[in-house]
Amino acid sequence: MIDYSEKLKGTWNISLCKLRLWSSCHSGYTTQSTDIHYWIGNTSSQDEQGAAAIYVTQLDEYLGGSPVQHREVQGCESAKFKSYFKNGLIYKKGGVGSGFTHVETNMYSMQRLLHVKGTKHVTAREVNYCTRHLKSQFYYSEGSPSFILSVSDASGQLLVQEVATSPLTQDLLSSSDCYILDQGGSSVMVWKGKAASDEERRSALSRAVGFIKAKNYPSNTKVEVMSEGGESAMFKHLFKSWKEKGQTQGLGKTHSVGKIAKVDQVKFDVMELHAQPKLAAQERMVDDASGHIQVWRIENLELKEVNPSTYGQFYGGDCYLVLYTYNRANKPQYILYMWQGRHATQDEVTACAYQAVNLDNKYNGAPTQVRVVMGKEPRHFLAIFKGGLIIFEGGTGRPGVVNRDPGARLFQVRGTHEMNTKATEVPTRASSLNTNDVFLLKTDQNVFLWYGKGCSGDEREMGKAVADLLSEQDKQVVMEGQEPAAFWVALGGKAPYASDKRLEKEVAPHEPRLFECSNQTGRFLVTEVADFTQDDLDEDDVMLLDTWEEIFLWIGNSANQYETQESYSSAVEYLKTHPAGRDPGTPVSTVKQGYEPPTFTGWFNAWDAHKWSVSQTDQSPSRAKPSGMLHSEQLVKKPNQLPQGVDPEKREEYLTDAEFENLFGCTRDNFQRLPKWRQNDLKKKAGMF
């Protein structure tokens, strides 16, 4: 069902309906989800669209009903869908040939004109070659207050009726029915109760599409379909409160503590996977992880086998292929993981994908291929290394290569048993600590095991196991609040870290959401960032982080004043119009890049407090600015010839208001409202870039 070559390219024929299965996990959490996206081309037929919906339902049933289904329409794809294609999307005309339709696809002699738009997630749409009309349109809508419609056949016939309006509460959902949730036309969500009849479950999606038509909503209205127990974070956010069901049989009771979903240790029983397909699909556990493992590293763009004694150790400067073999009905099955280090070169990443195809061919296409990005390892990937997964931030595992000696290394250990544990290297600074977790600090002289107040006994035991893998030295246990002086010295001194009392308490499991607030396109837009990490914080923009109890506005160093003002207004409106009836008095805090408090950084996994230290040095207060304003002829020079204290990238700031308007043809305020590319264009023409 997975066409991996297409997945790499991100190229779509607009007369097709394509079905893809994607898996993703939210960084910082132990819970994971499986997503099915089906994509509808603008010129696809009703029969093709209907067939895609049928296949989605069949695939959903095959996977136990746990995946979240997403209906994606050309040109209006969700941010989550676009995030899978790091190189962007290309829409091409054409389709599948048949007895009635002749299609010539990708002919070398064919000339194509592509309309490219977007910043983070670029899309390219093929337009008529002679066209001169390239105007873009952008849309953003959080949606007005929602209501749930129930889909039930309890009366003997399938009925759809209105149930409630916002604010919504979880007790409105009955396991014996299905529900349609309408976000004011911006999107439609379908929830399927676990005790609903087969007819109700199968008809829920078609009823949602019919509902869109009946309401005269645009045909590209987004649709998500999910089953009870597999709700998306967005769905939960629409309810005033949300509590998970008590016990997850076979895998432990899940409860949320601060930013981390903790799992109490319960012995894993593989038989539960066969008895409960939903459980297997939801946890992405095809077996008990007792199969056979082979690991290769990309070296000089070729595959080199890794010494089994180092299995589980992954370096951020490398790419690896991991082939996992297990048996089902006495027949071998394969999963091929492609692990990509954050600091690997583009050539290595490309070679990793290429070698994966070669290895896949050797097994006649049998392996299921899974792309794993460093820091977002899926549950089964953790399990196959039996608690021995250790991720080094940089460097390489290649034999004969000497990595830089950092002097001291700090590892964040998360997990309660060998099926869900990994250790991640984080910056060796006090600010990296988190009261929820176990940390391992390794120096030339000592190995410290630091236990945060919010960690459990099971987590401490797994911390000890990881420590034994990393070092044969004796370990010194350090309890939070009782650290010896040598511990702080190794970390470069004491500093604030994520130790808020709220992180130790059980709270409603509303996962945090991150939004990018930007006017780089020429129009102010707010778009959600899926599966976010610190790297998603854009210096040119304002980022809105919603942690439910508090909203943060992160101000990038290069964000303009207009973005800052609009972002604050958007945050207030976001709370006011939230379908879950959020408290409008929820705190909205402003955070400056490089000065993030622990209450903000605690929501990110492996936060690097000095990520932007270089740029901060350039803008430090110690750098004296020239006194008074300067004339344009003083600023139109090479960077090394500028007056002392002038920032070459911000020369326009040293002009008087009159000279600024004369040079750029607009006021400073209007200049700030322009997208970044337009500002740079004007600066180039003025000789100030």
Side-chain angles (χ1 to χ4, degrees), residues 403-615:
N403 292 316
R404 181 183 62 85
D405 182 10
R409 309 187 89 143
L410 183 65
F411 294 86
Q412 185 175 24
V413 184
R414 286 182 173 173
T416 56
H417 49 76
E418 66 176 19
M419 303 293 282
N420 67 358
T421 297
K422 73 172 177 178
T424 306
E425 185 176 6
V426 295
T428 311
R429 305 183 182 98
S431 57
S432 297
L433 300 175
N434 189 305
T435 195
N436 280 319
D437 297 325
V438 173
F439 285 81
L440 175 66
L441 176 60
K442 184 179 183 299
T443 70
D444 293 335
Q445 294 78 29
N446 301 295
V447 177
F448 298 99
L449 260 177
W450 185 86
Y451 296 147
K453 294 178 180 178
C455 69
S456 67
D458 291 332
E459 290 172 317
R460 296 176 185 179
E461 289 300 315
M462 292 313 300
K464 292 179 183 177
V466 172
D468 290 337
L469 290 174
L470 276 170
S471 175
E472 296 180 355
Q473 294 175 252
D474 292 334
K475 286 76 180 177
Q476 181 177 348
V477 174
V478 176
M479 306 300 294
E480 183 179 4
Q482 302 176 21
E483 299 85 356
F487 178 83
W488 295 118
V489 169
L491 290 177
K494 289 186 177 181
Y497 59 88
S499 58
D500 195 301
K501 293 292 183 182
R502 291 179 301 172
L503 298 179
E504 303 175 30
K505 300 177 182 178
E506 185 171 340
V507 296
H510 284 108
E511 296 181 5
R513 300 174 67 193
L514 183 71
F515 300 86
E516 180 180 25
C517 309
S518 173
N519 71 337
Q520 291 188 31
T521 62
R523 176 181 175 185
F524 183 78
L525 298 173
V526 180
T527 52
E528 185 163 10
V529 179
D531 298 335
F532 64 83
T533 64
Q534 184 182 1
D535 291 335
D536 291 309
L537 300 178
D538 193 323
E539 298 184 61
D540 293 328
D541 296 323
V542 176
M543 311 297 293
L544 187 154
L545 177 67
D546 179 12
T547 66
W548 194 263
E549 292 188 356
E550 185 173 8
I551 286 181
F552 294 93
L553 289 178
W554 182 88
I555 314 297
N557 284 340
S558 299
N560 57 60
Q561 186 177 4
Y562 178 73
E563 286 176 330
T564 304
Q565 293 172 345
E566 288 298 308
S567 298
Y568 184 83
S569 300
S570 297
V572 173
E573 189 68 16
Y574 171 78
L575 284 172
K576 182 180 178 182
T577 61
H578 200 286
R582 297 276 290 278
D583 181 359
T586 299
V588 178
S589 304
T590 298
V591 175
K592 297 290 183 63
Q593 178 185 341
Y595 301 93
E596 298 85 357
T599 50
F600 177 85
T601 62
W603 299 100
F604 294 80
N605 184 32
W607 178 269
D608 182 358
H610 291 248
K611 178 178 175 66
W612 299 288
S613 58
V614 176
S615 61

Side-chain angles (χ1 to χ4, degrees), residues 121 319 350 468 546:
H121 304 304
C319 287
T350 303
D468 290 337
D546 179 12

Side-chain angles (χ1 to χ4, degrees), residues 181-225:
L181 190 148
D182 175 21
Q183 276 194 274
S186 63
S187 70
V188 171
M189 297 182 173
V190 180
W191 185 89
K192 300 183 295 185
K194 60 184 179 182
S197 69
D198 291 342
E199 178 62 20
E200 289 172 345
R201 295 173 65 86
R202 291 194 184 102
S203 302
L205 176 58
S206 61
R207 294 285 172 169
V209 175
F211 173 78
I212 290 173
K213 293 180 180 178
K215 296 284 289 186
N216 290 323
Y217 289 156
S219 59
N220 56 20
T221 300
K222 294 181 176 64
V223 176
E224 284 188 14
V225 181

